């Protein structure tokens, strides 16, 4: 599997888990994460983030969103 494919798969997993954790649809979660720059964060920091427990990555995504105006608790 190519490195790009691994990064895409990881992003999909993160978006799905974020949606589940925050009671959002996958589409709503993706739009929120994209708008508040968490997708960009995952892409730029994939080398580190994918080595962390998923819960840590989800927390990092939430922090990035809050830093960029996101309002989820």
């Amino acid at each position: 599997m190519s490195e790009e494919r691994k990064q895409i798969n990881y992003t999909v997993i993160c978006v799905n888990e974020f949606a589940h954790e925050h009671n959002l649809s996958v589409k709503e979660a993706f739009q929120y994460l994209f708008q508040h720059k968490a997708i960009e964060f995952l892409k730029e920091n994939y080398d580190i983030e994918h080595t962390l427990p998923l819960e840590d990555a989800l927390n990092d995504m939430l922090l990035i969103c809050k830093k960029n105006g996101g309002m989820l608790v």
Side-chain angles (χ1 to χ4, degrees), residues 7-65:
Q7 189 174 355
I8 291 168
N9 288 345
Y10 178 73
T11 302
V12 168
I13 289 168
C14 288
V15 170
N16 285 335
E17 289 300 315
F18 189 91
H20 178 74
E21 188 172 294
H22 295 282
N23 297 315
L24 301 169
S25 71
V26 173
K27 181 179 179 180
E28 290 170 328
F30 179 81
Q31 289 173 335
Y32 177 81
L33 294 169
F34 184 81
Q35 179 180 2
H36 299 290
K37 307 208 184 302
I39 298 296
E40 181 179 332
F41 170 81
L42 282 181
K43 184 177 180 181
E44 291 175 358
N45 296 286
Y46 170 77
D47 290 342
I48 297 166
E49 288 294 318
H50 87 280
T51 66
L52 302 173
L54 187 56
E55 188 62 35
D56 289 351
L58 295 175
N59 288 334
D60 289 347
M61 291 165 57
L62 187 58
L63 289 173
I64 293 297
C65 288

